Amino acid sequence: MPEPTRKSPSATKTSKPAKAPAASRETKLARLGLRTDMDLVLHLPMRYEDETQVISIQQANLMGATIAQVEGIVTSCDIQYRPRRQLVVTLADDSGQLMMRFLNFYGSQTTQLAVGTRVRARGEIRHGFFGAEVVHPTYKIVLEGAPLPSALTPVYPSGEGLSQVFLRKSIANAMQKIEWRDTLSPAQLAAYQLIPFESAVRLLHNPPPEIDEGALEDRSHPAWVRMKFDELLAQQLSLKRAQFARRAQNARALPNVGTLSGAFLKTLPFTLTAAQQRVMGEIRADIKQSFPMQRLLQGDVGSGKTVVAALAAAQAIDSGFQAVLMAPTEILADQHFRKIAGWMAPLGISVAWLTGSLKKKEKLASLERITSGEAQLVIGTHALIQETVQFFRLGLVIVDEQHRFGVGQRLTLRQKSATENGNTDTDKTTSQVVPHQLMMSATPIPRTLAMTYYADLEISVIDELPPGRTPIVTRSVDQNRREEVIARVHAAAQEGRQVYWVCPLIEESEALQLQTATETYAMLVEALPDLTVGLVHGRLKPAEKQAVMEAFIAGDIHVLVATTVIEVGVDVPNASLMVIEHAERFGLSQLHQLRGRVGRGLAASVCLLLYQSPLGPIAKQRLMTMRETTDGFEIARRDLEIRGPGEFLGARQSGQAMLRFADLTTDQWIVDQASELAEQLLRHPTPENIVTVDAHLARWLAGREDYLKV
Ligand code: ADP
Ligand code: MG
């Protein structure tokens, strides 16, 4: 079987010179994250092999293509060259013969498997042309009557140069050295119907012969449940502890829902949806507090998060503090600036603008306004954290499309108020004051993930779209039918509608992506001579980008050819047709984001997903999901199913390394229980509870805790 760590030579001692000194084995263990005895003890098998029985070769042959173990004497051992070089060994017992083939082998194996040797071999035995045969069995040289193992044999996750035998020994050795004390009390075990830590661990490393193998394999066995519970409890404790620590920090209370907030609501051309009002209430209550809010505002694309953010900013300004809004792209920052400044400037609020592309003089002017406190609201891009911005009295930080920023970037902005102009503030604790933080995301995170990865955040959800939106109709179209698509684009433009044409994602090469965009643009210019076609991509200078976007917003451009720069946030309600080329190359959340650029006005919108056949199974599934639903939460749920949590959140955010045993698609009930116990332990910091928390975190997270903190 093609499993590198079980290559047959490692199953037995070979005559090769021993070349791995102890130090290098330690390094190899460390590469697997196995540094301490406890690490080893918690290095649990990924599966088990049943070597407890030997059956006759005839019986194995009759069962056909199942994994079985047989024992016999070698009757021949030859290197053959047809169809390719291989070692062919014949093994015989009383019932018949088995041909063992090794396509990769060491020369020493010909001596080791000499005629007359007794061998126990295990593998997938099938009917071959010459009778029973097995490719790359695992095998052992044994003496007649050698006892069989009485328990299933664990197979551990391994790395290069680490044999199973060595891992097993190291783990057994570590199990003798660790302190086994259960981190949970008998009462806690009883409350959650958990088995003791020690019995769970011992059982998983050495399952008894009579064990329910199915439950062991699918990890529903109580021993696995205990491990998953412990792992999740550690994660919940770590995250929630960060949350409790935050409550102990200072923030400026922003209690005033005053003149600005009121006037602002009146000038809005619409009334807030019930969902917007509800989350607004949640945010208002939070930022009135004198400890920092850290809230994630989730809402599907187009659900109206911007106005909620602006209202929160209004409350900060009403209370006498500055607010800052950071967006991941210039296009988006620019759009926010127009929209929000458009709402606020008439009310006498001074809004500053800061991006990397500002000319030096403009930048200095902006910085000066921010530092002096003249600017009450600041809108911009990463420049807000890269530049040496000194805020005057920063009360609230808003991060739009937060998933597009790195953890570090968000942290830096949060720390900004610590470096602000201290002398003007008489409050002595200025240096420890943290601004309230509102993060917004249109990539909804299913509840399971939110609970396990964002347990230190408060979460608000806008689960309702503003009224009057017509649902987007989504179709997938073979790209051979491009002519028809172009005809549709033309028809839409003649009805006064606007169109996005998104170019294929080419991950390997930005240059290639650019080239494709330019070619698509040329193609459409030629095919649609009576329309104005525009082109926007990441390599344009900010001013050029802005000019194109402005023309599109003004309706001067009918068809906007774009790379994925328009993926997030862009809001042009008159656009009602979205064409995505090579849709099979995009991920679900990206497709959903892109599609969210249309369906923002009253007109019925259409999204055409052009694909190149043949489609792979995953791409097929994605396109089907896109046709079936426009609900971002449902899409996120399916995305999680297709990709698993690690990829879903991106390695940076996922803390995936922390969840080795729990499976978020099946173990929600364990997450719920672990979360409940974590809450209890932290809420009541009795001496016993403090000991429990510390011991549990030390056991499960030793040194890895920071990874989870942000
Ligand atoms: P997103 O949540 O994707 O950031 P936006 O904040 O860009 O969405 O809002 C999408 C559009 O809906 C904007 O044009 C916005 O002005 C509009 N909008 C927001 N709230 C409402 C509402 N309550 N009623 C009508 N339109 C609204
Ligand atoms: Mg938005």
Side-chain angles (χ1 to χ4, degrees):
M1 264 168 286
E3 193 178 299
T5 58
R6 293 282 293 177
K7 262 188 205 144
S8 25
S10 65
T12 53
K13 289 203 173 67
T14 66
S15 53
K16 287 209 143 192
K19 60 174 176 198
S24 88
R25 273 182 167 171
E26 246 159 51
T27 321
K28 284 171 187 163
L29 285 176
R31 244 180 252 148
L32 285 182
L34 306 176
R35 294 182 182 83
T36 65
D37 287 329
M38 190 51 85
D39 289 341
L40 278 162
V41 169
L42 294 178
H43 192 62
L44 296 174
M46 54 181 180
R47 58 188 176 81
Y48 298 87
E49 281 179 355
D50 187 354
E51 296 174 353
T52 60
Q53 289 180 40
V54 162
I55 61 173
S56 74
I57 290 176
Q58 187 189 32
Q59 208 183 340
N61 196 17
L62 284 177
M63 292 195 321
T66 45
I67 293 178
Q69 181 168 248
V70 298
E71 185 176 319
I73 308 285
V74 175
T75 55
S76 75
C77 175
D78 305 295
I79 295 174
Q80 295 183 0
Y81 291 90
R82 244 173 269 173
R84 50 177 278 202
R85 186 169 181 270
Q86 53 184 294
L87 177 66
V88 179
V89 179
T90 319
L91 200 65
D93 68 5
D94 297 341
S95 73
Q97 285 198 4
L98 172 69
M99 192 181 284
M100 306 199 291
R101 291 178 188 282
F102 298 91
L103 302 174
N104 300 308
F105 59 98
Y106 293 133
S108 60
Q109 279 175 276
T110 52
T111 16
Q112 187 193 38
L113 291 167
V115 172
T117 312
R118 178 173 283 270
V119 171
R120 217 170 255 171
R122 184 175 182 282
E124 190 178 318
I125 296 174
R126 18 168 118 250
H127 309 287
F129 192 63
F130 302 103
E133 108 173 14
V134 61
V135 180
H136 282 189
T138 54
Y139 67 88
K140 261 190 216 121
I141 314 296
V142 291
L143 295 174
E144 192 166 4
L148 286 161
S150 62
L152 294 177
T153 311
V155 180
Y156 293 101
S158 179
E160 214 192 310
L162 284 176
S163 73
Q164 290 292 320
V165 176
F166 175 70
L167 274 172
R168 243 171 264 160
K169 262 194 213 144
S170 314
I171 291 167
N173 186 25
M175 286 211 283
Q176 299 188 343
K177 292 197 266 179
I178 63 153
E179 149 97 271
W180 283 101
R181 216 171 48 81
D182 211 302
T183 50
L184 302 182
S185 69
Q188 285 157 346
L189 295 186
Y192 293 101
Q193 297 186 320
L194 296 168
I195 68 169
F197 176 75
E198 177 165 2
S199 26
V201 171
R202 289 198 186 277
L203 183 141
L204 291 172
H205 285 299
N206 298 301
E210 71 283 357
I211 192 146
D212 175 354
E213 270 182 63
L216 207 55
E217 289 293 339
D218 73 11
R219 304 199 167 185
S220 60
H221 192 281
W224 275 122
V225 172
R226 174 67 206 264
M227 291 298 110
K228 294 176 185 184
F229 185 94
D230 274 21
E231 169 176 66
L232 288 165
L233 179 63
Q235 191 194 40
Q236 294 292 311
L237 282 173
S238 163
L239 292 169
K240 283 183 202 278
R241 200 156 71 160
Q243 190 181 31
F244 278 76
R246 175 157 52 81
R247 299 221 169 121
Q249 290 178 314
N250 295 316
R252 271 75 179 251
L254 308 172
N256 298 349
V257 182
T259 31
L260 174 59
S261 308
F264 179 42
L265 270 178
K266 274 199 208 107
T267 58
L268 279 181
F270 47 74
T271 46
L272 297 183
T273 62
Q276 283 171 320
Q277 274 169 19
R278 175 170 40 76
V279 304
M280 197 53 238
E282 291 164 357
I283 295 167
R284 285 208 161 134
D286 271 11
I287 61 181
K288 278 181 189 162
Q289 307 287 339
S290 55
F291 62 85
M293 167 177 82
Q294 202 167 317
R295 190 171 276 279
L296 178 65
L297 173 55
Q298 294 198 354
D300 212 342
V301 281
S303 62
K305 296 183 289 293
T306 315
V307 65
V308 172
L311 277 161
Q315 184 169 336
I317 298 165
D318 264 340
S319 307
F321 290 94
Q322 287 174 311
V324 53
L325 169 60
M326 181 167 82
T329 64
E330 291 241 352
I331 289 183
L332 195 50
D334 181 58
Q335 179 184 294
H336 282 323
F337 180 69
R338 278 156 203 280
K339 191 153 215 166
I340 297 174
W343 284 328
M344 295 215 173
L347 302 172
I349 299 306
S350 140
V351 187
W353 164 247
L354 190 76
T355 68
S357 67
L358 280 184
K359 295 204 186 73
K360 195 158 186 202
K361 227 166 102 191
E362 299 165 328
K363 194 179 286 173
L364 286 175
S366 271
L367 288 172
E368 163 56 27
R369 291 176 60 206
I370 296 169
T371 310
S372 68
E374 195 259 303
Q376 293 158 293
L377 176 60
V378 186
I379 297 177
T381 58
H382 308 76
L384 286 166
I385 39 183
Q386 282 153 0
E387 306 290 333
T388 45
V389 186
Q390 295 255 314
F391 287 91
F392 178 66
R393 278 152 72 83
L394 182 59
L396 173 68
V397 166
I398 303 165
V399 182
D400 195 17
E401 307 292 349
Q402 63 95 23
H403 61 284
R404 298 283 294 252
F405 290 99
V407 162
Q409 291 176 317
R410 299 202 307 260
L411 262 184
T412 317
L413 192 54
R414 209 198 297 171
Q415 284 152 2
K416 273 288 174 190
S417 75
T419 62
E420 75 188 21
N421 208 342
N423 348 338
T424 50
D425 197 315
T426 48
D427 185 353
K428 284 222 176 70
T429 56
T430 298
S431 58
Q432 291 135 35
V433 170
V434 181
H436 297 284
Q437 192 171 358
L438 177 64
M439 289 167 274
M440 305 200 286
S441 171
T443 303
I445 292 159
R447 197 178 81 90
T448 336
L449 276 189
M451 275 188 71
T452 47
Y453 294 110
Y454 293 115
D456 65 331
L457 303 185
E458 259 75 50
I459 296 182
S460 289
V461 180
I462 305 185
D463 50 6
E464 177 186 6
L465 293 180
R469 302 266 168 89
T470 347
I472 306 168
V473 175
T474 303
R475 301 231 182 292
S476 41
V477 183
D478 192 305
Q479 67 165 3
N480 292 333
R481 292 167 54 197
R482 186 188 283 260
E483 294 300 316
E484 289 166 52
V485 174
I486 293 175
R488 259 196 112 136
V489 168
H490 193 248
Q494 289 203 315
E495 283 167 29
R497 300 280 150 216
Q498 288 168 279
V499 182
Y500 292 102
W501 189 295
V502 177
C503 292
L505 179 70
I506 301 172
E507 273 178 346
E508 316 84 67
S509 158
E510 202 196 338
L512 208 57
Q513 177 154 347
L514 191 64
Q515 186 193 334
T516 320
T518 321
E519 282 166 12
T520 307
Y521 171 71
M523 181 273 290
L524 286 173
V525 167
E526 198 182 311
L528 300 164
D530 55 335
L531 301 184
T532 314
V533 184
L535 172 63
V536 64
H537 55 72
R539 283 287 178 83
L540 288 183
K541 294 208 182 77
E544 297 169 332
K545 235 187 269 179
Q546 194 175 326
V548 177
M549 289 313 292
E550 257 165 51
F552 191 61
I553 293 166
D556 297 338
I557 289 177
H558 300 108
V559 184
L560 182 63
V561 177
T563 56
T564 48
V565 293
I566 59 140
E567 180 192 334
V568 290
V570 172
D571 184 37
V572 180
N574 191 46
S576 68
L577 176 57
M578 162 71 61
V579 180
I580 303 176
E581 275 206 71
H582 278 288
E584 77 277 2
R585 292 186 194 164
F586 293 87
L588 262 182
S589 71
Q590 225 175 357
L591 288 173
H592 180 60
Q593 280 278 348
L594 285 168
R595 179 171 62 182
R597 299 311 110 216
V598 296
R600 299 183 153 242
L602 295 175
S605 290
V606 175
C607 174
L608 300 178
L609 304 171
L610 264 63
Y611 65 87
Q612 175 158 35
S613 41
L615 283 175
I618 291 189
K620 221 177 243 171
Q621 227 176 329
R622 282 200 208 118
L623 297 191
M624 191 170 74
T625 300
M626 289 299 291
R627 286 197 306 272
E628 283 175 0
T629 178
T630 49
D631 174 348
F633 281 88
E634 174 61 17
I635 288 176
R637 200 187 56 71
R638 298 209 202 169
D639 202 13
L640 173 65
E641 235 169 56
I642 299 175
R643 290 195 291 167
E647 260 196 77
F648 184 88
L649 289 173
R652 188 188 60 226
Q653 282 193 323
S654 72
Q656 177 60 12
M658 292 316 310
L659 287 186
R660 290 174 284 165
F661 309 132
D663 175 350
L664 295 177
T665 51
T666 55
D667 298 332
Q668 176 66 47
W669 64 281
I670 312 180
V671 176
D672 290 340
Q673 295 191 339
S675 158
E676 182 190 285
L677 180 57
E679 188 81 26
Q680 265 178 35
L681 288 169
L682 293 172
R683 213 167 267 294
H684 308 288
T686 58
E688 305 90 82
N689 282 351
I690 291 172
V691 168
T692 302
V693 170
D694 288 348
H696 197 80
L697 286 176
R699 175 169 288 172
W700 284 89
L701 290 186
R704 274 169 291 195
E705 223 185 322
D706 284 345
Y707 195 35
L708 279 173
K709 278 244 174 82
V710 186

